[in-house]
Amino acid sequence: MRIPIDHYSVIPIYRQIEIFFRKAIQSGTLLPDMRLPASRKLAEDLGISRITIENAYAELKADGLITSRVGSGTYVLPLCPLSSLEIKNSRVTWPLWQQDLVIGKEIIAGKVLSKRQKISQHLISFAAGSGDPCLFPVEDFRRTIQSVIRRDGITAFEYGEPSGFTRLRVSIVRVLASQGLQTQPENILITSGSQQALALVSQLLLKPGDVILVESPTYARALDLFRTLDLKIVGIPLDHHGIQVEKLEELLQQLHPKLIYTIPNFQNPTGVSMNSWRRRRLIALVDRYNVPILEDDFVGDLRYEGRAQPSLKALDPGGRVIYTSTFSKMLLPGLRIGFVVAEGPVYQELVRRKHTYDLASSNLIQRVLESYLTIGRYQTHLRYSCRIYRRRRDTMLKAIKLHLPADISVTPPRGGFFIWLCLPENISAKNLLPLASEEGVIFAPGNSFFPNGSGGDNYLRLNFAANPPEEIEEGVKRLGKVIKRLRQYQ
Ligand code: PMP
């Protein structure tokens, strides 16, 4: 074990060792029942006397942090409640440069929710941002990983190209062509999820203080990203047909935005899709006002009914739209594979930055995904997922009708994962969440999706895809109960 010891310090060496172990035990790095090194061995490793180690261990024993078991060794004891209290109350003095960092300005919905998840045993979560993990084609991937390693050997473990594995880019071109988007492998950049694509594009095109136009509401983690970059985020209202393009021209003239971020299909959080007329009008406007579009097509493939709309990228005469999509939603989020489609200097610069930030996305995983896509399992998996998710959406809509008060409104989504629910004006989703959590159901409250962090207080997002029908029915029933209870007190 390598314990940093300062031989020139005024703190005696036995105390340094004691402090090292005490911190490790209290922070949970050393867990109960873990065995500490034998004093003779540790003394040898550190080049100090055995008695010094024994003195350190004696202090820890006296404080009930470790114990000796005859003939077996020295072991970490479970922390008594008092010691964990001490840890909570003990303030670490961070160096000044750390104290200057401003953190946690915004409440991150996921964090609040994951804390709550621990409260109830039979919690039904409608708060997730992706599909049902039970549908993940894990077994197919296990087999594909093995066959790729057999096939490619060491090559699969090298860095690989910064723009991404060529054959995967070719496969993506085919998948996109099947959705009506024509492109070339030379215009595709593989990223670590589409989240990295959003970061790469916004870091490249914007600087602090620049205006970015977004749908209001929109994807909360994109808002986090734009806030981190100190951008001026301006929301454009949405209606049942997507972003209100009619309101856009005035903003373009007044604010000179540097980027428009939009999710045209089955939007997060509202589930709405932009109609065809607005898509064409948007492209015409950005052309006139010289503003790039960042199109986030995170679940474009998960369509349950209705006409397939062309992506904005497919309507782009060239170089106006930067398109991003992901395999997180239709396949497996843990692959961390997303991609960008772009042309011109912006593509080259995105590749250069991707290389600078993380050299490349995992070569092995890209090869595995390519192999999976080529075998054609992807299309089968997609059809299967759509079938299941469509049924779950219908189950949730039916349950909402049955169990929630009649003055609650929803717009049935035609794809994706989310139902955006509008509560009566006087009910706040933020106030509802703790009560719902006690009742064993959680959701994503609406305000985290709004650019200024406020507004949308009476909205909430429900994920209908991540739970089986019985849980959806039960979860909505619980939600109905809490809403009724909350109303009684108002
Ligand atoms: N865009 C939207 C709209 C999302 O909801 C998400 C994930 N929830 C992402 C992008 C990022 O997904 P990933 O990085 O896993 O591709």
Side-chain angles (χ1 to χ4, degrees):
M1 186 176 269
R2 292 191 289 182
I3 300 177
I5 289 192
D6 182 356
H7 290 276
Y8 303 102
S9 168
V10 287
I11 303 172
I13 291 177
Y14 87 92
R15 271 285 290 153
Q16 292 184 41
I17 295 168
E18 179 212 325
I19 291 167
F20 176 87
F21 280 119
R22 186 182 294 275
K23 269 193 188 160
I25 293 169
Q26 290 186 328
S27 66
T29 322
L30 285 177
L31 293 168
D33 279 337
M34 276 172 88
R35 193 172 155 188
L36 295 192
S39 55
R40 188 181 317 123
K41 174 77 176 68
L42 189 55
E44 235 175 71
D45 286 352
L46 300 176
I48 56 179
S49 78
R50 191 173 165 190
I51 193 79
T52 308
I53 308 290
E54 280 170 357
N55 284 340
Y57 282 6
E59 294 290 331
L60 294 165
K61 265 181 217 163
D63 286 348
L65 292 171
I66 62 172
T67 185
S68 293
R69 293 182 198 153
V70 184
S72 170
T74 307
Y75 291 85
V76 176
L77 285 172
L79 280 179
C80 73
L82 208 66
S83 352
S84 29
L85 211 76
E86 269 169 25
I87 300 165
K88 267 192 212 139
N89 294 336
S90 74
R91 286 260 199 113
V92 182
T93 322
W94 299 114
L96 271 181
W97 64 267
Q98 288 235 40
Q99 291 174 25
D100 286 347
L101 292 174
V102 186
I103 48 167
K105 267 195 262 179
E106 295 298 324
I107 298 167
I108 294 180
K111 278 193 185 158
V112 175
L113 297 173
S114 65
K115 254 193 224 154
R116 298 207 183 287
Q117 267 161 353
K118 287 173 200 147
I119 296 172
S120 171
Q121 285 265 310
H122 307 287
L123 192 76
I124 297 173
S125 173
F126 294 141
S130 44
D132 186 351
C134 296
L135 264 64
F136 291 172
V138 175
E139 193 47 34
D140 282 346
F141 264 78
R142 190 188 60 75
R143 276 198 296 268
T144 316
I145 288 172
Q146 282 174 337
S147 74
V148 165
I149 293 177
R150 231 178 284 127
R151 184 192 70 191
D152 297 349
I154 285 172
T155 323
F157 295 90
E158 289 172 353
Y159 275 127
E161 301 150 69
S163 54
F165 181 45
T166 306
R167 276 166 39 191
L168 174 60
R169 289 187 282 128
V170 172
S171 299
I172 290 173
V173 166
R174 287 201 198 108
V175 171
L176 290 176
S178 73
Q179 298 164 11
L181 172 53
Q182 315 267 351
T183 185
Q184 303 295 324
E186 303 78 64
N187 296 116
I188 295 203
L189 164 65
I190 306 293
T191 54
S192 294
S194 48
Q195 191 70 23
Q196 187 184 42
L198 304 185
L200 285 170
V201 172
S202 42
Q203 282 171 336
L204 171 62
L205 298 180
L206 297 118
K207 55 183 189 323
D210 280 348
V211 173
I212 181 165
L213 297 183
V214 303
E215 285 144 357
S216 180
T218 190
Y219 170 44
R221 297 289 90 78
L223 290 174
D224 287 343
L225 167 71
F226 303 147
R227 286 183 193 117
T228 305
L229 297 176
D230 276 331
L231 305 179
K232 194 157 175 262
I233 311 168
V234 177
I236 313 166
L238 278 174
D239 61 22
H240 296 332
H241 304 292
I243 195 169
Q244 293 183 24
V245 176
E246 303 75 9
K247 304 211 164 132
L248 188 63
E249 186 152 14
E250 212 177 301
L251 292 175
L252 289 169
Q253 283 170 357
Q254 286 171 1
L255 302 174
H256 308 291
K258 294 288 187 299
L259 186 67
I260 299 174
Y261 169 65
T262 172
I263 310 168
N265 294 315
F266 319 124
Q267 203 245 9
N268 183 359
T270 61
V272 300
S273 292
M274 199 186 298
N275 69 19
S276 166
W277 183 84
R278 284 185 177 176
R279 285 175 198 244
R280 286 166 208 279
R281 179 94 182 104
L282 182 59
I283 295 289
L285 277 175
V286 297
D287 202 24
R288 181 162 345 133
Y289 288 90
N290 188 34
V291 186
I293 291 177
L294 174 53
E295 177 179 22
D296 182 348
D297 196 17
F298 78 125
V299 284
D301 254 7
L302 291 172
R303 180 167 52 89
Y304 313 136
E305 68 210 9
R307 245 188 305 147
Q309 297 285 359
S311 65
L312 295 170
K313 185 77 201 146
L315 301 173
D316 176 7
R320 274 78 164 167
V321 178
I322 301 164
Y323 174 95
T324 178
S325 186
T326 176
F327 289 96
S328 291
K329 309 297 169 178
M330 313 81 123
L331 220 48
L332 302 154
L335 296 178
R336 305 310 300 131
I337 299 285
F339 59 92
V340 171
V341 184
E343 309 86 20
V346 74
Y347 175 79
Q348 302 304 335
E349 190 53 29
L350 286 170
V351 175
R352 201 180 65 76
R353 285 189 176 228
K354 161 80 183 166
H355 189 223
T356 309
Y357 291 154
D358 71 357
L359 302 182
S361 291
S362 161
N363 191 1
L364 172 66
I365 294 299
Q366 290 186 65
R367 284 163 187 265
V368 172
L369 179 58
E370 186 273 331
S371 194
Y372 180 87
L373 291 177
T374 320
I375 297 165
R377 289 192 190 121
Y378 175 69
Q379 297 298 346
T380 316
H381 178 72
L382 192 61
R383 275 195 299 274
Y384 171 68
S385 305
C386 281
R387 218 172 35 243
I388 305 251
Y389 293 155
R390 185 195 300 122
R391 270 193 229 132
R392 291 181 181 187
R393 176 206 56 181
D394 294 344
T395 305
M396 186 172 271
L397 288 170
K398 230 163 126 192
I400 287 173
K401 233 182 182 165
L402 200 65
H403 301 297
L404 300 194
D407 53 353
I408 277 177
S409 63
V410 295
T411 310
R414 301 180 140 199
F417 295 141
F418 308 121
I419 288 178
W420 186 237
L421 201 139
C422 179
L423 299 164
E425 281 287 336
N426 56 343
I427 299 188
S428 141
K430 250 190 345 197
N431 293 343
L432 187 67
L433 184 58
L435 300 177
S437 153
E438 274 166 29
E439 193 64 40
V441 60
I442 55 168
F443 52 80
N447 55 334
S448 50
F449 301 98
F450 284 82
N452 52 8
S454 64
D457 217 28
N458 60 321
Y459 284 90
L460 56 92
R461 190 192 73 182
L462 298 176
N463 178 319
F464 57 79
N467 295 292
E470 325 75 73
E471 298 227 339
I472 294 175
E473 174 82 34
E474 174 58 27
V476 175
K477 208 189 266 178
R478 290 178 190 178
L479 197 57
K481 238 196 224 167
V482 197
I483 294 173
K484 274 175 208 145
R485 195 159 13 112
L486 192 66
R487 278 191 141 171
Q488 279 167 4
Y489 294 112
Q490 283 181 338

